[in-house]
Amino acid sequence: MEAAKVRASRRSICILWHLKSKRILCVTRYTSTAQALMSSGMEMGFNIVSRAKPILHSEDRVERLRRIPPEELPNYLFHRQSGTIVKIENPKPLTEKQKNACILLAGRARYLRRVTRVVSQARKRVAPSELYGAFVDQIRREQALKFRASGYDEALIQECLFVFQYAQVKKITARAAADEIIFRFSLFEADLWKTEEVKLKYYDLFANAANLEDLHDIFQDFIREYYLNARV
Amino acid sequence: MPVSKNIYIYNPMLITKKKLQDLPGIRAFRHVLHLFNENVVLVDRTNTIQVPVNVTVHAPIPEFRMIDKSYEQICDERAQELLHRSDEHDLPINVFYSGGIDSTLVLVSLLKNATEAQKNRICAFMSQESINENPAFYRDHLRGKVKLEAAAIYPYALSKRALFVGGEHNDQIFGSALFKDFLDLHGEDALAKKYSRSQMGQMFGRKWHNDVVISWYMDLFEKVRAAAPCPVDSNADFLWWINFSLKWQSVYFRMLTYASDFVIHNIDRDFIDNNFFHFYGTDAFQLWSMGNPDKRVVTKWESYKQEAKDVIYRFNKDSEYRDYKTKNGSLAWVIMHQIQKNFIDDQMHMYMTLPRKDWFNPNNSFRDAPF
């Protein structure tokens, strides 16, 4: 169990498997979740984004693995070179320790997915991706910083087009525009930053939880810190 | 025998966790979370209710006396005091601004009373929600006029190199968020009427759905009512008094609980005496509140904090804000998703966890509750 690898397909399925025996230990949907499981220290590995091809013994796509109970996953082998998954005909019986390890890994992955999902939802609110807005915001902020650093020198108009465009539309001075652009970007940064601390904390806690009961307790703490503490 | 801590604020969800519910009083105390909100901390300033935590009162209720000052006058005097302190110590004034009524009035009071030099030392800590909540105020009075910072980073910004001023406690001055529930249930005249245990019980029934719990808590709150040094006659008075006496301390300390590990060394008694101010947290505001029950009572939710909205209107002439702005719990936007310390003691030490012996008060008022 000390060495495993992670595989991610285009369908965002990640597989953790035992490096020596090639037996599958855990299946999870998000790459970041698999990364967090790896960071627990018990597993090692890296992501490989595969071609989207059927790999479950030509029967189904890898997504089928997600429906297999975690304690039965080691009855499947992952062949890295061919990218296929094969069911073992007469598998060597699993020990209770191995079964429990798989259940725990699957439990960790399940809670980590929930953290990933709620943090992503919170971030979508502050970072919508329509119209390449993130690129525009980034460029405009860099130009605003450059303009401010020059002492608001209006000779820089050609190099700071986004700033002057913003000032023209909002009917404010270029200086006020630069200050507002920088300030608004700081709000966006602060909102991302705010969710990052709790994510860092709980990725570590879940990935290192020792049993299912601990996982549940940690999740209760996560809900409290992420949502309920703000209910004042 | 080790001495337990004297606690100023605690996390009520932490101390009522499932595995602690067999401790005397914890199961009954847990019902409080359903009445107010999950993270509302009860500390009784009348010393009538003993909660299951070893709490100590930080700011006692001032001795009641009538004061002959208007609400606006008290706001102006508070602003002048803070501006003077800023001058005296050469420190900027960082205002926690949510765009809501309370923090807008803080900025209005400061801007009304500040010289140009003093205005240059005012910085609004705000968020996108602050802009959304009061876009006209942002456009006309903040953008390009005062310094602006992202409010979310305040847990890392608390230091003795600035004054920090928030709009906390105005809810305790004007009444309670429960006013809205009461108006919704009993109609527009109900708050002004004489206190009715039956009507109050019906409203609590929406939260608790259990007659034994309702009756037991009503008895408890009526003891708190009896301890009031001023008249608590109407339904509005009752809800106000519960909020004023039981929630004040929670409101005082809650923002500090989010302080980063990197700045908690800045937060000591000197900091809370000289750098950290809730604008409405003074004796003058409390005495105004205790002596002016008619200014607190409302017949519709839009009139809640009307005195405050009128002062804002006289400054910015925004009649839409005056007539239609309603209370919106905007602090949540700033603190949501941030990690909180779960205890602060009277030495201003902050803790994520404490041994049970340090916080648990077995001789609490909830231990003999029949549920």
Side-chain angles (χ1 to χ4, degrees), chain B residues 238-253:
Chain B
F238 181 84
L239 291 173
W240 159 75
W241 181 248
I242 295 299
N243 196 19
F244 186 84
S245 56
L246 302 184
K247 199 177 159 184
W248 186 275
Q249 188 148 318
S250 172
V251 171
Y252 184 92
F253 285 103

Side-chain angles (χ1 to χ4, degrees), chain B residues 297-316:
Chain B
V297 73
V298 294
T299 55
K300 56 181 182 181
W301 186 234
E302 289 76 14
S303 306
Y304 184 53
K305 299 183 182 172
Q306 192 61 49
E307 286 276 321
K309 292 203 286 184
D310 288 343
V311 181
I312 295 170
Y313 174 74
R314 285 193 279 278
F315 177 77
N316 68 0

Side-chain angles (χ1 to χ4, degrees), chain A residues 59-217:
Chain A
E59 288 176 18
D60 195 356
R61 290 184 179 272
V62 72
E63 187 120 17
R64 182 178 161 192
L65 282 177
R66 292 182 64 240
R67 295 193 288 272
I68 295 173
E71 64 273 23
E72 289 178 23
L73 281 172
N75 293 334
Y76 292 79
L77 295 181
F78 176 58
H79 289 295
R80 184 181 169 195
Q81 281 75 15
S82 62
T84 54
I85 290 164
V86 180
K87 188 165 186 183
I88 306 170
E89 291 295 332
N90 295 303
K92 196 174 160 186
L94 291 171
T95 63
E96 281 303 304
K97 193 177 168 190
Q98 285 170 318
K99 279 185 186 174
N100 290 338
C102 291
I103 293 169
L104 179 59
L105 272 177
R108 285 178 184 168
R110 191 169 62 245
Y111 281 110
L112 283 165
R113 278 202 303 276
R114 293 170 80 167
V115 174
T116 303
R117 194 161 58 235
V118 296
V119 172
S120 297
Q121 279 167 354
R123 288 180 176 181
K124 274 179 192 155
R125 188 181 66 80
V126 298
S129 58
E130 290 90 356
L131 296 170
Y132 298 94
F135 287 114
V136 172
D137 288 348
Q138 188 73 42
I139 298 165
R140 191 157 53 200
R141 184 239 195 175
E142 281 168 16
Q143 292 188 355
L145 286 170
K146 185 176 184 180
F147 183 54
R148 181 190 271 183
S150 75
Y152 305 100
D153 178 3
E154 299 207 358
L156 290 182
I157 185 166
Q158 298 288 341
E159 293 167 57
C160 303
L161 284 173
F162 274 98
V163 176
F164 284 81
Q165 175 194 54
Y166 189 89
Q168 182 168 282
V169 173
K170 300 280 180 183
K171 300 192 185 335
I172 53 179
T173 64
R175 178 186 181 132
D179 288 346
E180 181 166 46
I181 290 163
I182 293 164
F183 168 62
R184 288 213 177 220
F185 197 88
S186 77
L187 296 181
F188 162 74
E189 273 185 325
D191 272 336
L192 285 184
W193 169 86
K194 208 165 67 153
T195 49
E196 184 62 16
E197 185 166 351
V198 80
K199 193 205 94 180
L200 284 173
K201 175 177 174 178
Y202 282 94
Y203 262 42
D204 268 0
L205 287 173
F206 281 122
N208 289 301
N211 54 56
L212 291 177
E213 195 180 341
D214 282 358
L215 282 172
H216 181 72
D217 285 350

Side-chain angles (χ1 to χ4, degrees), chain A residues 122 125 172 180 183-184 186-187 190 193-195 197-198 201 221 224-226 228-232, chain B residues 11 13-14 17 37-39 126 128-129 138 143 148 152 156 258 332-333 336-340 342:
Chain A
R125 188 181 66 80
I172 53 179
E180 181 166 46
F183 168 62
R184 288 213 177 220
S186 77
L187 296 181
W193 169 86
K194 208 165 67 153
T195 49
E197 185 166 351
V198 80
K201 175 177 174 178
D221 285 342
R224 178 171 56 75
E225 293 208 296
Y226 198 72
L228 300 179
N229 276 355
R231 293 173 61 83
V232 290
Chain B
N11 188 317
M13 288 176 284
L14 196 75
K17 273 184 155 183
N37 253 333
E38 282 87 344
N39 204 5
M126 57 189 293
Q128 184 59 48
E129 285 73 26
Y138 171 71
R143 185 169 70 182
L148 305 174
Y156 283 73
Y258 292 88
W333 286 112
M336 186 179 282
H337 311 324
Q338 306 231 33
I339 293 176
Q340 181 184 32
N342 292 312

Side-chain angles (χ1 to χ4, degrees), chain B residues 46-246:
Chain B
T46 71
N47 292 311
T48 306
I49 300 177
Q50 304 302 316
V51 297
V53 180
N54 294 314
V55 293
T56 190
V57 173
H58 169 256
I61 296 166
E63 198 172 318
F64 179 51
R65 63 183 192 280
M66 295 301 289
I67 57 166
D68 186 24
K69 284 180 183 173
S70 71
Y71 180 77
E72 183 168 12
Q73 204 177 344
I74 300 170
C75 288
D76 286 337
E77 287 176 4
R78 179 61 159 159
Q80 287 156 15
E81 175 210 330
L82 292 167
L83 290 164
H84 175 71
R85 188 180 282 270
S86 161
D87 286 344
E88 197 176 29
H89 300 285
D90 193 21
L91 294 173
I93 302 181
N94 295 335
V95 178
F96 297 115
Y97 174 70
S98 70
I101 298 163
D102 307 334
S103 59
T104 299
L105 181 53
V106 172
L107 274 173
V108 163
S109 302
L110 288 169
L111 293 172
K112 264 168 68 181
N113 289 284
T115 63
E116 283 308 310
Q118 287 170 329
K119 282 179 190 169
N120 288 334
R121 287 221 295 266
I122 295 173
C123 175
F125 274 50
M126 57 189 293
S127 66
Q128 184 59 48
E129 285 73 26
S130 318
I131 300 172
N132 299 346
E133 191 153 342
N134 197 348
F137 196 81
Y138 171 71
R139 186 190 62 224
D140 298 338
H141 300 287
L142 299 181
R143 185 169 70 182
K145 307 273 173 51
V146 300
K147 292 188 191 75
L148 305 174
E149 283 284 352
I153 58 103
Y154 92 86
Y156 283 73
L158 298 169
S159 81
K160 292 182 182 175
R161 293 191 299 274
L163 306 182
F164 293 87
V165 179
E168 297 276 46
H169 289 312
N170 213 24
D171 266 311
Q172 286 66 46
I173 298 301
F174 275 99
S176 167
L178 291 174
F179 275 16
K180 183 171 189 312
D181 295 9
F182 203 84
L183 287 169
D184 288 346
L185 186 63
H186 296 300
E188 61 183 22
D189 297 329
L191 276 172
K193 286 187 176 158
K194 195 170 167 53
Y195 167 69
S196 158
R197 179 177 169 112
S198 146
Q199 283 191 319
M200 205 58 72
Q202 283 173 35
M203 187 191 72
F204 289 156
R206 287 185 156 191
K207 311 270 183 180
W208 281 321
H209 313 288
N210 180 327
D211 289 343
V212 178
V213 174
I214 296 165
S215 175
W216 189 87
Y217 267 95
M218 291 296 304
D219 289 346
L220 194 68
F221 290 155
E222 285 179 355
K223 286 180 197 160
V224 178
R225 177 192 180 203
C230 57
V232 179
D233 295 330
S234 67
N235 288 315
D237 290 348
F238 181 84
L239 291 173
W240 159 75
W241 181 248
I242 295 299
N243 196 19
F244 186 84
S245 56
L246 302 184

